[in-house]
Amino acid sequence: DIEEIFIEGSHVSYIDGSGRLKGVTEPTTETENRHIINRLLSETDRHLDTANPIVQARVLDGSARLTAVIPPIADALSATIRRYALRRQTLAGLVDLNSLTPGAAGFLWALMQTNASTLLSGPPGAGKTSLLAALVAAAPPNHCIRAVEEVRELFVPIVHASYYESRPPSLARSGEVALRDLVKVVLAMRPDRIVVGEVRGAEAFELTRAANAGCGFACTVHANSARDALNALVNAAMMAGENVAEPVVRKVFSTTIDVVVHLDRDAVPPEGSSGLRRQVMEILAVVPAMGDDFTTEPLFVRNSLGEPLQWTGAVPPATTTHMLERSLPGDLNLRDILEGRRLPPI
């Protein structure tokens, strides 16, 4: 039931299944902890040494992500081991967990039947990857999905898809395959949707090319709100240093991104609860703007964790609404879904 382990020198603590931080009672030394980290890395192609003082890798048969930093970058060994939620996450399952309402889940399902582009945001541990996995699982089997990640966390069994993982440089400082390289490659592989596990840098600029390629994308980014997520994506794209003005990048994303979904979590479990709450706080539609800045329309809003996620009464822009209506089965219509009166097969 352990979710994440933290190692700081000789001190070891962990977050249990209820979301509470606890310390390991049995003492360890930094040397022992470093030995364990090296054993975990021995089954990967990653190295932790003075030439590579920072490392990220999949460990424990791919069930966890290890991030480690050693001196001189850190004062002492500093590492986290985070377990993946390897269960098959679905939109219906997130409704059962009260992360989504049926109406919001139905709306996101409809988005995935098209080539709409979706941005997921939130702090670390808010459930962004779980929601991204549920969205990928909701895509039609005939859609070609290309998923790229720095360290693989998505394990969704779908028919027409491929998963790619970046690679750090070898001991000879060669052979690096960056996340940006992967996004560039999959753009040439006729995807219906490109999925980027976590956008943090220059790979964001390659997503501006997705608009020209006619494909959608779904990605996650760390941000404090849905509006902040849009600015964070622009800032990441500017890191590519392609000598493209920021208003141009902003304009491309304002016409490319259809929806932003923001999630949040408790800092500590509420009194009497069984664990941390991870919930969708807002779903915004991005409206094509006349100016350089983003224009958004809230579709679903949750005022605070634990309160209901409510439809605002707004609908997406006409172009998005028309695209979604064409993808819906039978006589379903978008307003019925948003209101939660009639739902697609999520």
Side-chain angles (χ1 to χ4, degrees):
D1 64 342
I2 293 175
E3 186 174 299
E4 194 157 3
I5 298 172
F6 305 91
I7 301 171
E8 299 297 334
S10 61
H11 180 68
V12 180
S13 56
Y14 62 94
I15 294 177
D16 65 11
S18 67
R20 290 171 172 81
L21 181 65
K22 299 181 179 180
V24 173
T25 55
E26 185 173 339
T28 64
T29 67
E30 181 174 353
T31 301
E32 289 173 329
N33 294 336
R34 176 67 185 275
H35 179 62
I36 291 171
I37 296 298
N38 288 339
R39 282 175 56 192
L40 291 170
L41 288 172
S42 66
E43 298 180 359
T44 74
D45 61 349
R46 314 289 167 111
H47 306 277
L48 186 62
D49 49 38
T50 53
N52 301 277
I54 301 174
V55 70
Q56 280 194 319
R58 274 191 292 154
V59 297
L60 300 175
D61 295 325
S63 67
R65 179 180 68 185
L66 166 67
T67 303
V69 186
I70 59 173
I73 305 303
D75 292 335
L77 171 65
S78 179
T80 62
I81 303 171
R82 182 178 183 182
R83 292 187 64 189
Y84 299 140
L86 294 178
R87 61 187 181 275
R88 291 186 60 181
Q89 197 59 270
T90 63
L91 292 172
L94 293 177
V95 172
D96 293 338
L97 294 172
N98 199 30
S99 178
L100 285 168
T101 59
F107 171 67
L108 294 178
W109 180 91
L111 279 175
M112 294 305 294
Q113 310 314 300
T114 71
N115 65 346
S117 293
T118 308
L119 178 62
L120 310 181
S121 68
K128 300 184 296 296
T129 302
S130 293
L131 178 55
L132 183 60
L135 293 179
V136 172
N142 63 330
H143 274 201
C144 177
I145 296 176
R146 307 289 185 185
V148 301
E149 298 173 88
E150 196 163 274
V151 177
R152 185 175 172 185
E153 295 184 61
L154 294 171
F155 293 87
V156 184
I158 46 182
V159 176
H160 193 19
S162 295
Y163 293 92
Y164 307 88
E165 186 178 45
S166 65
R167 186 177 70 183
S170 66
L171 292 175
R173 314 306 297 169
S174 63
E176 179 182 10
V177 180
L179 201 57
R180 182 180 183 181
D181 299 326
L182 293 177
V183 176
K184 192 181 299 185
V185 166
V186 299
L187 271 169
M189 300 177 72
R190 200 177 177 269
D192 292 298
R193 178 174 279 104
I194 297 173
V195 175
V196 185
E198 186 177 319
V199 173
R200 288 186 286 188
E203 63 273 6
F205 183 79
E206 299 304 324
L207 292 177
T208 63
R209 307 181 195 271
N212 297 327
C215 64
F217 63 82
C219 61
T220 73
V221 67
H222 288 135
N224 294 320
S225 69
R227 287 279 305 181
D228 285 349
L230 292 166
N231 293 322
L233 192 63
V234 172
N235 293 338
M238 298 305 296
M239 293 180 189
E242 292 290 340
N243 200 28
V244 178
E246 181 178 329
V248 174
V249 175
R250 195 174 292 268
K251 186 71 174 179
V252 171
F253 280 135
S254 72
T255 57
T256 304
I257 299 172
D258 297 281
V259 169
V260 185
V261 183
H262 183 71
L263 302 96
D264 203 356
R265 62 170 175 83
D266 293 304
V268 294
E271 203 61 43
S273 71
S274 59
L276 292 176
R277 294 173 299 188
R278 295 175 170 90
Q279 297 180 327
V280 171
M281 302 304 294
E282 56 182 334
I283 300 178
L284 299 185
V286 180
V287 181
M290 297 298 293
D292 294 334
D293 204 1
F294 291 103
T295 302
T296 59
E297 179 72 48
L299 301 179
F300 292 89
V301 173
R302 190 193 306 265
N303 292 326
S304 62
L305 285 163
E307 294 192 22
L309 180 66
Q310 297 181 324
W311 179 45
T312 63
V315 296
T319 52
T320 304
T321 297
H322 180 62
M323 176 176 60
L324 294 177
E325 293 276 9
R326 285 187 302 166
S327 71
L328 295 177
D331 57 350
L332 274 176
N333 67 73
L334 187 58
R335 185 171 288 272
D336 283 345
I337 293 174
L338 292 169
E339 291 179 0
R341 290 186 304 192
R342 299 181 61 207
L343 299 174
I346 63 173

mmCIF file with all atom_site columns, all heavy atoms in Angstrom, residues 1 12-13 35 54 79 159 161 195 205 227 248 289:
data_model
loop_
_atom_site.group_PDB
_atom_site.id
_atom_site.type_symbol
_atom_site.label_atom_id
_atom_site.label_alt_id
_atom_site.label_comp_id
_atom_site.label_asym_id
_atom_site.label_entity_id
_atom_site.label_seq_id
_atom_site.pdbx_PDB_ins_code
_atom_site.Cartn_x
_atom_site.Cartn_y
_atom_site.Cartn_z
_atom_site.occupancy
_atom_site.B_iso_or_equiv
_atom_site.pdbx_formal_charge
_atom_site.auth_seq_id
_atom_site.auth_comp_id
_atom_site.auth_asym_id
_atom_site.auth_atom_id
_atom_site.pdbx_PDB_model_num
ATOM 1  N N   . ASP A 1 1   ? 0.818  -1.213 0.000   1.00 0.00 ? 1   ASP A N   1
ATOM 2  C CA  . ASP A 1 1   ? 0.000  0.000  0.000   1.00 0.00 ? 1   ASP A CA  1
ATOM 3  C C   . ASP A 1 1   ? 0.851  1.263  0.000   1.00 0.00 ? 1   ASP A C   1
ATOM 4  O O   . ASP A 1 1   ? 0.358  2.337  0.311   1.00 0.00 ? 1   ASP A O   1
ATOM 5  C CB  . ASP A 1 1   ? -0.937 0.003  1.228   1.00 0.00 ? 1   ASP A CB  1
ATOM 6  C CG  . ASP A 1 1   ? -0.163 0.066  2.529   1.00 0.00 ? 1   ASP A CG  1
ATOM 7  O OD1 . ASP A 1 1   ? 1.045  -0.229 2.494   1.00 0.00 ? 1   ASP A OD1 1
ATOM 8  O OD2 . ASP A 1 1   ? -0.759 0.414  3.555   1.00 0.00 ? 1   ASP A OD2 1
ATOM 9  N N   . VAL A 1 12  ? 14.792 7.824  5.503   1.00 0.00 ? 12  VAL A N   1
ATOM 10 C CA  . VAL A 1 12  ? 13.827 7.254  4.557   1.00 0.00 ? 12  VAL A CA  1
ATOM 11 C C   . VAL A 1 12  ? 12.422 7.483  5.090   1.00 0.00 ? 12  VAL A C   1
ATOM 12 O O   . VAL A 1 12  ? 12.125 7.188  6.254   1.00 0.00 ? 12  VAL A O   1
ATOM 13 C CB  . VAL A 1 12  ? 14.051 5.737  4.368   1.00 0.00 ? 12  VAL A CB  1
ATOM 14 C CG1 . VAL A 1 12  ? 13.026 5.176  3.366   1.00 0.00 ? 12  VAL A CG1 1
ATOM 15 C CG2 . VAL A 1 12  ? 15.460 5.467  3.878   1.00 0.00 ? 12  VAL A CG2 1
ATOM 16 N N   . SER A 1 13  ? 11.551 8.034  4.248   1.00 0.00 ? 13  SER A N   1
ATOM 17 C CA  . SER A 1 13  ? 10.145 8.206  4.598   1.00 0.00 ? 13  SER A CA  1
ATOM 18 C C   . SER A 1 13  ? 9.298  7.763  3.419   1.00 0.00 ? 13  SER A C   1
ATOM 19 O O   . SER A 1 13  ? 9.810  7.517  2.328   1.00 0.00 ? 13  SER A O   1
ATOM 20 C CB  . SER A 1 13  ? 9.842  9.669  4.968   1.00 0.00 ? 13  SER A CB  1
ATOM 21 O OG  . SER A 1 13  ? 10.218 10.534 3.902   1.00 0.00 ? 13  SER A OG  1
ATOM 22 N N   . HIS A 1 35  ? 23.403 1.926  -2.194  1.00 0.00 ? 35  HIS A N   1
ATOM 23 C CA  . HIS A 1 35  ? 23.570 0.564  -2.712  1.00 0.00 ? 35  HIS A CA  1
ATOM 24 C C   . HIS A 1 35  ? 22.244 0.042  -3.283  1.00 0.00 ? 35  HIS A C   1
ATOM 25 O O   . HIS A 1 35  ? 22.210 -0.582 -4.351  1.00 0.00 ? 35  HIS A O   1
ATOM 26 C CB  . HIS A 1 35  ? 24.070 -0.357 -1.595  1.00 0.00 ? 35  HIS A CB  1
ATOM 27 C CG  . HIS A 1 35  ? 24.258 -1.786 -2.043  1.00 0.00 ? 35  HIS A CG  1
ATOM 28 N ND1 . HIS A 1 35  ? 25.150 -2.155 -3.013  1.00 0.00 ? 35  HIS A ND1 1
ATOM 29 C CD2 . HIS A 1 35  ? 23.639 -2.934 -1.653  1.00 0.00 ? 35  HIS A CD2 1
ATOM 30 C CE1 . HIS A 1 35  ? 25.103 -3.455 -3.208  1.00 0.00 ? 35  HIS A CE1 1
ATOM 31 N NE2 . HIS A 1 35  ? 24.184 -3.963 -2.394  1.00 0.00 ? 35  HIS A NE2 1
ATOM 32 N N   . ILE A 1 54  ? 22.284 12.977 -12.094 1.00 0.00 ? 54  ILE A N   1
ATOM 33 C CA  . ILE A 1 54  ? 20.820 13.005 -12.054 1.00 0.00 ? 54  ILE A CA  1
ATOM 34 C C   . ILE A 1 54  ? 20.306 11.883 -12.950 1.00 0.00 ? 54  ILE A C   1
ATOM 35 O O   . ILE A 1 54  ? 20.775 11.727 -14.085 1.00 0.00 ? 54  ILE A O   1
ATOM 36 C CB  . ILE A 1 54  ? 20.261 14.350 -12.545 1.00 0.00 ? 54  ILE A CB  1
ATOM 37 C CG1 . ILE A 1 54  ? 20.792 15.505 -11.693 1.00 0.00 ? 54  ILE A CG1 1
ATOM 38 C CG2 . ILE A 1 54  ? 18.731 14.340 -12.526 1.00 0.00 ? 54  ILE A CG2 1
ATOM 39 C CD1 . ILE A 1 54  ? 20.401 16.873 -12.217 1.00 0.00 ? 54  ILE A CD1 1
ATOM 40 N N   . ALA A 1 79  ? 16.479 10.912 -3.397  1.00 0.00 ? 79  ALA A N   1
ATOM 41 C CA  . ALA A 1 79  ? 15.789 10.055 -4.366  1.00 0.00 ? 79  ALA A CA  1
ATOM 42 C C   . ALA A 1 79  ? 14.328 9.879  -3.993  1.00 0.00 ? 79  ALA A C   1
ATOM 43 O O   . ALA A 1 79  ? 13.951 9.973  -2.819  1.00 0.00 ? 79  ALA A O   1
ATOM 44 C CB  . ALA A 1 79  ? 16.475 8.695  -4.456  1.00 0.00 ? 79  ALA A CB  1
ATOM 45 N N   . VAL A 1 159 ? -5.583 -0.863 -29.472 1.00 0.00 ? 159 VAL A N   1
ATOM 46 C CA  . VAL A 1 159 ? -5.360 -1.614 -30.713 1.00 0.00 ? 159 VAL A CA  1
ATOM 47 C C   . VAL A 1 159 ? -4.311 -0.974 -31.606 1.00 0.00 ? 159 VAL A C   1
ATOM 48 O O   . VAL A 1 159 ? -3.357 -1.615 -32.039 1.00 0.00 ? 159 VAL A O   1
ATOM 49 C CB  . VAL A 1 159 ? -6.703 -1.757 -31.468 1.00 0.00 ? 159 VAL A CB  1
ATOM 50 C CG1 . VAL A 1 159 ? -6.473 -2.446 -32.812 1.00 0.00 ? 159 VAL A CG1 1
ATOM 51 C CG2 . VAL A 1 159 ? -7.710 -2.525 -30.626 1.00 0.00 ? 159 VAL A CG2 1
ATOM 52 N N   . ALA A 1 161 ? -1.742 1.648  -31.587 1.00 0.00 ? 161 ALA A N   1
ATOM 53 C CA  . ALA A 1 161 ? -0.943 2.619  -30.844 1.00 0.00 ? 161 ALA A CA  1
ATOM 54 C C   . ALA A 1 161 ? 0.471  2.114  -30.647 1.00 0.00 ? 161 ALA A C   1
ATOM 55 O O   . ALA A 1 161 ? 0.749  0.915  -30.747 1.00 0.00 ? 161 ALA A O   1
ATOM 56 C CB  . ALA A 1 161 ? -1.579 2.896  -29.483 1.00 0.00 ? 161 ALA A CB  1
ATOM 57 N N   . VAL A 1 195 ? 0.268  11.764 -27.851 1.00 0.00 ? 195 VAL A N   1
ATOM 58 C CA  . VAL A 1 195 ? 0.142  11.862 -26.398 1.00 0.00 ? 195 VAL A CA  1
ATOM 59 C C   . VAL A 1 195 ? 1.536  12.082 -25.824 1.00 0.00 ? 195 VAL A C   1
ATOM 60 O O   . VAL A 1 195 ? 2.451  11.306 -26.086 1.00 0.00 ? 195 VAL A O   1
ATOM 61 C CB  . VAL A 1 195 ? -0.485 10.579 -25.805 1.00 0.00 ? 195 VAL A CB  1
ATOM 62 C CG1 . VAL A 1 195 ? -0.487 10.640 -24.283 1.00 0.00 ? 195 VAL A CG1 1
ATOM 63 C CG2 . VAL A 1 195 ? -1.901 10.399 -26.338 1.00 0.00 ? 195 VAL A CG2 1
ATOM 64 N N   . PHE A 1 205 ? 7.322  22.912 -28.348 1.00 0.00 ? 205 PHE A N   1
ATOM 65 C CA  . PHE A 1 205 ? 7.342  23.607 -29.639 1.00 0.00 ? 205 PHE A CA  1
ATOM 66 C C   . PHE A 1 205 ? 6.925  22.683 -30.770 1.00 0.00 ? 205 PHE A C   1
ATOM 67 O O   . PHE A 1 205 ? 6.246  23.107 -31.721 1.00 0.00 ? 205 PHE A O   1
ATOM 68 C CB  . PHE A 1 205 ? 8.727  24.178 -29.924 1.00 0.00 ? 205 PHE A CB  1
ATOM 69 C CG  . PHE A 1 205 ? 8.791  24.967 -31.206 1.00 0.00 ? 205 PHE A CG  1
ATOM 70 C CD1 . PHE A 1 205 ? 8.328  26.268 -31.252 1.00 0.00 ? 205 PHE A CD1 1
ATOM 71 C CD2 . PHE A 1 205 ? 9.288  24.388 -32.365 1.00 0.00 ? 205 PHE A CD2 1
ATOM 72 C CE1 . PHE A 1 205 ? 8.360  26.983 -32.447 1.00 0.00 ? 205 PHE A CE1 1
ATOM 73 C CE2 . PHE A 1 205 ? 9.329  25.089 -33.551 1.00 0.00 ? 205 PHE A CE2 1
ATOM 74 C CZ  . PHE A 1 205 ? 8.863  26.401 -33.592 1.00 0.00 ? 205 PHE A CZ  1
ATOM 75 N N   . ARG A 1 227 ? -5.869 28.161 -16.594 1.00 0.00 ? 227 ARG A N   1
ATOM 76 C CA  . ARG A 1 227 ? -5.325 29.307 -17.318 1.00 0.00 ? 227 ARG A CA  1
ATOM 77 C C   . ARG A 1 227 ? -3.798 29.318 -17.255 1.00 0.00 ? 227 ARG A C   1
ATOM 78 O O   . ARG A 1 227 ? -3.119 29.585 -18.248 1.00 0.00 ? 227 ARG A O   1
ATOM 79 C CB  . ARG A 1 227 ? -5.875 30.602 -16.725 1.00 0.00 ? 227 ARG A CB  1
ATOM 80 C CG  . ARG A 1 227 ? -7.326 30.892 -17.037 1.00 0.00 ? 227 ARG A CG  1
ATOM 81 C CD  . ARG A 1 227 ? -7.518 31.496 -18.402 1.00 0.00 ? 227 ARG A CD  1
ATOM 82 N NE  . ARG A 1 227 ? -6.745 32.692 -18.637 1.00 0.00 ? 227 ARG A NE  1
ATOM 83 C CZ  . ARG A 1 227 ? -6.779 33.394 -19.769 1.00 0.00 ? 227 ARG A CZ  1
ATOM 84 N NH1 . ARG A 1 227 ? -7.555 32.999 -20.765 1.00 0.00 ? 227 ARG A NH1 1
ATOM 85 N NH2 . ARG A 1 227 ? -6.051 34.476 -19.919 1.00 0.00 ? 227 ARG A NH2 1
ATOM 86 N N   . VAL A 1 248 ? 3.183  34.543 -31.575 1.00 0.00 ? 248 VAL A N   1
ATOM 87 C CA  . VAL A 1 248 ? 2.911  33.567 -32.631 1.00 0.00 ? 248 VAL A CA  1
ATOM 88 C C   . VAL A 1 248 ? 2.631  32.198 -32.021 1.00 0.00 ? 248 VAL A C   1
ATOM 89 O O   . VAL A 1 248 ? 1.671  31.507 -32.396 1.00 0.00 ? 248 VAL A O   1
ATOM 90 C CB  . VAL A 1 248 ? 4.090  33.495 -33.620 1.00 0.00 ? 248 VAL A CB  1
ATOM 91 C CG1 . VAL A 1 248 ? 3.862  32.381 -34.635 1.00 0.00 ? 248 VAL A CG1 1
ATOM 92 C CG2 . VAL A 1 248 ? 4.285  34.824 -34.322 1.00 0.00 ? 248 VAL A CG2 1
ATOM 93 N N   . ALA A 1 289 ? -9.165 33.302 -30.228 1.00 0.00 ? 289 ALA A N   1
ATOM 94 C CA  . ALA A 1 289 ? -9.085 34.691 -29.789 1.00 0.00 ? 289 ALA A CA  1
ATOM 95 C C   . ALA A 1 289 ? -8.753 35.606 -30.955 1.00 0.00 ? 289 ALA A C   1
ATOM 96 O O   . ALA A 1 289 ? -8.035 35.227 -31.881 1.00 0.00 ? 289 ALA A O   1
ATOM 97 C CB  . ALA A 1 289 ? -8.040 34.831 -28.698 1.00 0.00 ? 289 ALA A CB  1
#
